[in-house]
Amino acid sequence: MGLQIYDFVSFFFTLLLDIFFREIRPRGAHKVPKQGPVIFVAGPHANQFVDPIVLMRECGRRISFLAAKKSMDRKWIGLMGRSMNAIPVERPQDLAKAGSGTIKLGDRYSDPLRITGLGTKFTKELMVGDQIALPKDIGTSAVVEIISDTELIIKKEFKELKAIEALTSTDGSKYKCMPHMDQSNVYKTVFERLNAGHCVGIFPEGGSHDRAEMLPLKAGVTIMALGALAANPSLDLKIVTCGLNYFHPHRFRSRAVVEFGEPLTVPPELVEMYKRGGADKREACGKLLDTIYDALKNVTLNSPDYETLMVIQAARRLYKPTHRKLQISQVVELNRRFVAGYLRFKDNPKVIETKDKVMHYNTQLRYHGLRDHQVNIHTTRRHAFELLITRVAQMIFLSLLALPGTLMNLPVAIVARVISNKKAKEALAASTVKIAGRDVLATWKLLVALGLMPVLYFSYSVIVFILCGQLDISLTTRFFIAWAAWACIPFVTYASIRFGEVGVDIFKSIRPLFLSIIPGEENTMNELRRSRAELQKTITALINELAPEIYPDFDSKRILDPSPHDRPSRAASRSASGTNLAQTIFNTMNTATQPINQWLGMDGRFEWERADDSDADDVFFFLNPAGAVQGRSRTSSWGAGAWTPNADGSRSRNRSRTSSFTSGQIQLGEGFKLEALTELPKDKPFAEVTRRLSLSRKNKHGLLGDMTKGGAQEIENGGGFMHDGHFVSTPPITVQNMDDPMNAVQTKEA
C-alpha cells in the first residue's frame, strides 16, 4: 500500500514525540495482526490527543480513531484529525445543559424509578430517551416516560450512595439534561472501515482523565464488534487491548510503555445472542465488555488511589536488588503484580504493618532529600569529595552547552506553561471525573510549541539577516546565512535538551555525595541503610510467603549476571516501529556528540537517580527449578537463546522487541517468569552456577557430544575447557559490587 497523507502526518508527530518523551517502549507489538480488521481498545486515556499519536506510532497499522465531534470542530485539531482518518462522534455530555430546578426521589423503597421535581420543566427540556445526569458523575439514567413538568419515570434506579443522598436531601439535587444521540452513522462508518480490512481505535472510557484507575467502560465498542460480525459473519475481526502506561504523562522528557494484549476473537454465540436483540443483545454486549475490561486490566496499572501507588512503587524498589537494572517495561509489570498482590492481601496484618513501615521510610527519604537507590551508595569521604568536584564541573560544562538552546526557546516554554495550565483549569471546571486536569497539559504544550516555534525560529533568522546587513556581503549571502541559521536552530535546540537533561541528572546525584562529606551525616546515612536493609528483608519474606498464592509459577531464585559479551547493544534496543526515519535523524545527532557523551555520562551514567527511568538493555540468565539455564532478553523475541545464528556464523537480533512466549500467567518484562530477585540460594554456590553455565555454552556450540566421548577436557579452575587442542574460554559469572561507587553511579533506579 502506497504512502498516504496519514503517513506524513504520523511521521511528523513521531518527531514531536521523540522530542517530548525521553523514551517510548512498546511491549507485545508482535501480537498485533499485520493484516485484517482490528479494533484497538486503549486505556487509560490519560493524555488526551497525545494518546492516539503514541498508539499510532507503535502499533504498525493505520488506525482510524473515534474522536469527539467537539474536538473535531476546532480548526487545527479538526484538520489534523481528518488527515488521519478520524471518525467524529457526537457525545451526549458535550451537549448537556443544566436543567431547571432540582430533582428528588419520591419514594426510595416502593417506587425508586419515579423522579419528582421542584421548579422543573421536564416537558420542555427533556424527551423520552434523553438522560438526566447528577453532579460529579455520581449517576445517570435514561428517561422512559415524562408525566408532567415535575414528574417522570427513569429506566434504572440510582444505586450509588452519593446519588441516593443527593436525591433524598431536603432541597433535592441539581441535574443536567443530556439528549439522546443517534449514532447509527458512526457505526455505519466503523463497519465500512472494518469490512475494508482497516483498523479502528477507541478509548472506551469516553474521555481523557487523570485518575489512578480506569473509568467504567462504555458499551459502544461491543456494539461495533458484534454489529460488524452480525452484518458480516465471515469477517475475521480481532480486538487488541492496548495499555498506555505513563510515568509522568504531562512532563517534558518523561517515559512511557505501550503494551499490547493478546488479540481477542468474539465468540460466535455472543454474535447470535446479539442478533436476537432485546435482553439477549444486552447480555451479549455485557459479556463482551467484561472480557475486554479484564484484558485491558492485564495491560494497564490500576491503583485505587495515589497513596497506594506511591507505597507500591516504594515496595517494588525495595524488593529489587540495588545492583539490578530493569527496563521501564519490566517496572510496569512489577508494579502491576505488586498492585494485584496488595489488593488481594491488603487486610492481612503483615501487609498493613509493612505498608506503615514503607510510608515511614518514604517520609525519612523526603526529609533528607534523597531517593531510595541513593541510600546504598557506599564511598569514602575522600572519594565522595573527588566525585563531587568532578560532577560539579561536568554540570557547569553541560549548563553552558544547554544555555543557548534554553534561552532561545524560553519564550515558548513560558507561553506553553501558561496556556496549558489555563486549559487544565478549564478542563477541570467542565469535567466531573478529572482530579487536576493534568490529562490536557501535554497536549497543549505540544500544540503551543507547534504553533510558536516556527514563528520564533523565523524571527531569529530575520534577526540574523539584519545583523548580516552590517557586514560587507552580498544580499544572496545574507539570505543564505539567514536560511542556514533557521535550519540549524532545531538541531541546537535538541542538543540543548539532551545536554540539559543529563545536567539535571548530575545535579540530582550531588546531594548524597554532599551528605557523605559532611561530618556527622555519616550516622544518618548508616541509619537509613539499616532501615532499608531491614525493610527489604521484611518485604522479600512477605512476598516469598504470599506470592505463590497468586502466581503458581513464582520462583524465588536470583537472577545472575551474564558475561558482558552476551549483552545486546543499546542501539539494538531502539523501537522497531514504522517510522524509522525519525529515529535515524536523532541517532545521527547522538553519534555526532558521542565523544562528549562518553565523558559526561550520557550513556546512562547519570540517569540512575530518576525514580522511574529505564535502563540499558541487558540479558538475564536464570536457573529454573530443574537446574537448566534459561536466557531471556529484555528486548528480543526468543525463548531459550538470545541470538539467532546467521549462515555466516554471525549473530543477529530479531526485530521484535517483545517476546512471543506466552502463558496463562502475566509475564514479567518481555516474556519471562517473575523471579524473586532476592538472594542466591545457599545450596547453589557460584562454582555450581559457573559449571552449569559452562556446560550450557558447550552444548550451545555443539561441543557437549565431543566431551562425552573424551574429545574435550574441562579445566575446572581455568575458566574454560580444551577442545581439539584449543582452549575455549568460559568466563565465570560475576556479581556487581555495590560498594564500588563507580558501579553505583552506573546503576539506575527502577
Side-chain angles (χ1 to χ4, degrees):
M1 188 178 295
L3 291 176
Q4 299 179 0
I5 296 179
Y6 178 102
D7 301 302
F8 291 103
V9 176
S10 178
F11 168 75
F12 174 73
F13 281 116
T14 294
L15 292 177
L16 293 183
L17 291 178
D18 283 329
I19 294 174
F20 188 84
F21 288 98
R22 196 165 187 171
E23 180 182 15
I24 300 177
R25 185 174 290 270
R27 291 187 68 220
H30 66 283
K31 301 175 185 177
V32 178
K34 303 304 179 185
Q35 295 179 343
V38 177
I39 297 179
F40 288 94
V41 183
H45 197 4
N47 227 350
Q48 207 181 30
F49 301 132
V50 176
D51 287 340
I53 300 174
V54 171
L55 186 55
M56 287 162 44
R57 162 197 167 105
E58 301 298 343
C59 73
R61 298 286 302 271
R62 293 173 180 152
I63 308 178
S64 298
F65 278 97
L66 274 71
K69 187 177 182 299
K70 178 181 179 182
S71 299
M72 294 287 287
D73 288 339
R74 297 175 180 175
K75 183 177 179 180
W76 296 109
I77 295 177
L79 178 63
M80 290 184 290
R82 287 186 291 272
S83 67
M84 305 189 78
N85 304 323
I87 303 173
V89 179
E90 198 159 37
R91 302 180 301 179
Q93 58 265 38
D94 294 334
L95 302 177
K97 296 181 179 179
S100 302
T102 59
I103 56 176
K104 299 181 63 176
L105 271 175
D107 192 331
R108 172 186 171 187
Y109 298 102
S110 61
D111 197 1
L113 300 180
R114 187 177 299 273
I115 299 294
T116 58
L118 301 174
T120 54
K121 301 177 182 178
F122 292 153
T123 57
K124 297 179 181 179
E125 297 177 346
L126 289 169
M127 297 179 62
V128 174
D130 291 352
Q131 290 183 315
I132 55 175
L134 300 181
K136 299 182 179 179
D137 200 34
I138 58 177
T140 60
S141 186
V143 177
V144 297
E145 182 183 357
I146 300 177
I147 301 175
S148 66
D149 274 340
T150 58
E151 190 174 3
L152 58 78
I153 305 297
I154 57 176
K155 186 175 183 178
K156 63 176 182 179
E157 63 178 298
F158 294 100
K159 295 182 178 181
E160 292 289 335
L161 179 59
K162 292 182 179 180
I164 295 175
E165 290 176 350
L167 291 172
T168 55
S169 62
T170 304
D171 298 329
S173 173
K174 292 287 186 180
Y175 67 101
K176 287 186 177 181
C177 304
M178 297 194 303
H180 172 71
M181 306 302 303
D182 182 8
Q183 304 290 8
S184 57
N185 289 333
V186 175
Y187 292 128
K188 180 181 178 181
T189 303
V190 170
F191 297 158
E192 290 175 352
R193 301 279 173 89
L194 295 176
N195 286 324
H198 298 160
C199 301
V200 173
I202 182 172
F203 294 91
E205 295 169 286
S208 63
H209 62 92
D210 54 351
R211 292 179 174 270
E213 74 285 353
M214 283 194 303
L215 299 178
L217 306 186
K218 309 293 184 183
V221 62
T222 63
I223 298 176
M224 294 174 190
L226 293 171
L229 290 171
N232 184 4
S234 63
L235 189 66
D236 185 22
L237 177 64
K238 302 295 182 183
I239 301 175
V240 176
T241 53
C242 314
L244 301 174
N245 302 282
Y246 297 97
F247 287 90
H248 301 285
H250 60 286
R251 291 186 182 178
F252 185 62
R253 302 300 289 172
S254 58
R255 300 178 188 263
V257 174
V258 183
E259 184 168 358
F260 298 92
E262 292 289 343
L264 303 176
T265 300
V266 180
E269 56 269 21
L270 293 185
V271 179
E272 294 301 322
M273 292 175 62
Y274 180 85
K275 290 180 179 179
R276 291 196 291 266
D280 287 343
K281 178 179 179 179
R282 290 191 293 272
E283 183 180 355
C285 290
K287 289 183 177 180
L288 182 57
L289 191 63
D290 290 341
T291 301
I292 293 173
Y293 181 72
D294 291 339
L296 201 54
K297 285 199 301 183
N298 287 337
V299 293
T300 55
L301 178 64
N302 289 277
S303 175
D305 53 64
Y306 183 77
E307 180 182 281
T308 299
L309 182 61
M310 293 298 100
V311 172
I312 291 298
Q313 290 180 344
R316 181 257 304 161
R317 288 191 294 267
L318 290 165
Y319 178 62
K320 182 188 72 66
T322 53
H323 74 279
R324 171 58 56 217
K325 299 185 289 185
L326 300 179
Q327 279 186 306
I328 55 174
S329 55
Q330 294 170 305
V331 171
V332 169
E333 183 60 42
L334 268 178
N335 282 339
R336 186 180 300 130
R337 289 196 170 209
F338 268 78
V339 169
Y342 175 78
L343 295 179
R344 172 80 174 271
F345 301 108
K346 62 181 180 181
D347 296 326
N348 187 307
K350 294 183 180 179
V351 174
I352 296 175
E353 181 183 1
T354 303
K355 177 183 177 181
D356 293 338
K357 291 181 179 179
V358 171
M359 294 178 65
H360 176 68
Y361 175 72
N362 275 345
T363 302
Q364 288 181 305
L365 292 180
R366 287 195 299 268
Y367 176 79
H368 294 288
L370 296 173
R371 295 178 182 269
D372 172 68
H373 60 280
Q374 296 173 329
V375 172
N376 270 358
I377 298 178
H378 298 269
T379 181
T380 63
R381 185 170 299 173
R382 177 181 176 182
H383 194 191
F385 182 77
E386 293 173 353
L387 283 177
L388 180 63
I389 297 300
T390 301
R391 294 187 185 180
V392 168
Q394 291 174 332
M395 184 179 64
I396 294 174
F397 178 70
L398 282 168
S399 300
L400 295 176
L401 292 178
L403 187 60
T406 303
L407 293 178
M408 284 192 299
N409 292 278
L410 188 60
V412 175
I414 294 175
V415 174
R417 184 180 182 87
V418 172
I419 293 180
S420 61
N421 287 336
K422 179 182 178 182
K423 293 296 182 180
K425 293 179 181 179
E426 293 176 358
L428 181 61
S431 174
T432 58
V433 298
K434 301 182 191 297
I435 298 176
R438 290 188 294 266
D439 54 303
V440 305
L441 289 175
T443 294
W444 282 102
K445 287 177 181 178
L446 282 173
L447 289 176
V448 171
L450 187 61
L452 286 185
M453 292 182 75
V455 176
L456 184 64
Y457 293 171
F458 178 77
S459 301
Y460 289 147
S461 63
V462 171
I463 294 174
V464 171
F465 179 82
I466 295 174
L467 293 177
C468 288
Q470 300 177 4
L471 304 176
D472 187 18
I473 56 179
S474 64
L475 184 62
T476 303
T477 305
R478 290 170 60 189
F479 273 112
F480 177 78
I481 294 176
W483 176 85
W486 181 82
C488 290
I489 288 176
F491 294 94
V492 174
T493 298
Y494 183 72
S496 297
I497 290 172
R498 296 301 302 271
F499 288 133
E501 69 186 10
V502 177
V504 172
D505 290 350
I506 296 175
F507 174 76
K508 293 179 180 179
S509 71
I510 288 178
R511 182 170 179 82
L513 295 176
F514 186 73
L515 291 177
S516 298
I517 65 176
I518 298 178
E521 289 295 332
E522 184 177 355
N523 293 334
T524 300
M525 295 297 295
N526 290 335
E527 182 61 32
L528 283 174
R529 292 188 188 107
R530 283 193 294 269
S531 299
R532 189 188 192 282
E534 293 175 1
L535 192 54
Q536 190 172 28
K537 290 180 180 179
T538 301
I539 292 175
T540 299
L542 187 61
I543 291 174
N544 290 342
E545 175 187 347
L546 301 178
E549 298 185 28
I550 302 180
Y551 303 105
D553 63 341
F554 179 81
D555 190 350
S556 61
K557 291 182 172 58
R558 176 181 174 168
I559 297 176
L560 302 179
D561 287 325
S563 168
H565 301 289
D566 291 329
R567 300 175 186 267
S569 65
R570 290 180 62 87
S573 69
R574 298 294 297 177
S575 172
S577 55
T579 51
N580 292 325
L581 179 58
Q583 298 295 347
T584 302
I585 293 175
F586 291 109
N587 288 343
T588 301
M589 298 173 64
N590 293 338
T591 302
T593 58
Q594 189 64 28
I596 300 179
N597 294 350
Q598 293 178 354
W599 180 67
L600 295 175
M602 287 180 66
D603 57 350
R605 178 176 300 174
F606 295 110
E607 295 179 12
W608 58 275
E609 81 302 325
R610 287 180 172 268
D612 289 311
D613 272 0
S614 65
D615 298 297
D617 290 328
D618 205 346
V619 178
F620 290 163
F621 284 92
F622 302 87
L623 287 177
N624 62 19
V629 178
Q630 296 177 329
R632 292 289 185 266
S633 169
R634 297 180 185 173
T635 56
S636 65
S637 59
W638 38 259
W643 301 92
T644 303
N646 297 328
D648 59 358
S650 62
R651 300 182 296 180
S652 63
R653 281 187 78 249
N654 189 297
R655 274 176 57 88
S656 175
R657 302 178 61 256
T658 53
S659 173
S660 58
F661 174 89
T662 57
S663 68
Q665 297 294 331
I666 299 176
Q667 301 296 322
L668 171 63
E670 309 304 322
F672 45 79
K673 293 193 307 180
L674 172 64
E675 305 282 348
L677 311 177
T678 54
E679 324 180 331
L680 182 69
K682 292 182 174 60
D683 60 340
K684 296 287 192 300
F686 278 107
E688 174 67 8
V689 174
T690 303
R691 187 187 69 80
R692 292 181 181 178
L693 292 176
S694 175
L695 292 176
S696 174
R697 290 193 181 96
K698 298 169 193 173
N699 187 28
K700 179 179 178 181
H701 292 286
L703 302 177
L704 192 57
D706 294 338
M707 287 174 53
T708 59
K709 299 176 183 179
Q713 177 184 2
E714 183 172 3
I715 301 177
E716 293 294 338
N717 298 317
F721 57 90
M722 299 297 297
H723 175 67
D724 293 339
H726 301 285
F727 180 76
V728 180
S729 175
T730 57
I733 302 304
T734 60
V735 177
Q736 297 175 356
N737 180 10
M738 283 306 294
D739 291 334
D740 183 354
M742 290 311 296
N743 282 338
V745 166
Q746 297 182 19
T747 303
K748 291 181 287 186
E749 169 62 7

